[in-house]
Amino acid sequence: MEKHLIVGREAELGELSRLVASPDGRAVLVRGEAGVGKSLLLAVAAEQAGALGHRVIRATGVESETMLPFAGLHQMLHPLLHTMPGLEPSTRAVR
Ligand SMILES: Nc1ncnc2c1ncn2[C@@H]1O[C@H](COP(=O)(O)OP(=O)(O)OP(=O)(O)O)[C@@H](O)[C@H]1O
Ligand SMILES: [Mg+2]
């Protein structure tokens, strides 16, 4: 994407572009050494997905939250609450 100056990574960017444009559900694991550019690749993929009209929901695992149950699930679902107007108030209030 133009706003990021990315050196190399053509193969990874191509793979993520295909993932984003894929009509079926797919998953990809991006892993590598610290600072190797994982977050940058994911930022580009998220921008591409947004440009294609997809809703992008991001969750980030942090060590300090490992003791919080469902912290990741909460990050994923909280932005979707407004799409569920029929949710029982008691269910909606669960945090
Ligand atoms: N291919 C690349 N071209 C240009 N800059 C890059 C490239 N890969 C990484 N960078 C830059 O290097 C820095 C570290 O990248 P990034 O934060 O994406 O790494 P990371 O793998 O997510 O690190 P961490 O494991 O610490 O989360 C950022 O400033 C990023 O913009
Ligand atoms: Mg990172």
Side-chain angles (χ1 to χ4, degrees), residues 71-91:
L73 191 61
H74 180 264
Q75 285 185 62
M76 297 289 285
L77 296 183
H78 193 262
L80 299 175
L81 263 182
H82 72 279
T83 69
M84 297 173 240
L87 215 55
E88 289 293 325
S90 57
T91 307

Side-chain angles (χ1 to χ4, degrees), residues 17-48:
S17 292
R18 283 189 290 279
L19 172 85
V20 163
S22 168
D24 20 272
R26 289 182 58 196
V28 66
L29 172 66
V30 178
R31 62 178 184 165
E33 298 291 319
V36 81
K38 303 178 294 294
S39 294
L40 178 61
L41 290 173
L42 294 178
V44 172
E47 284 171 22
Q48 289 180 350

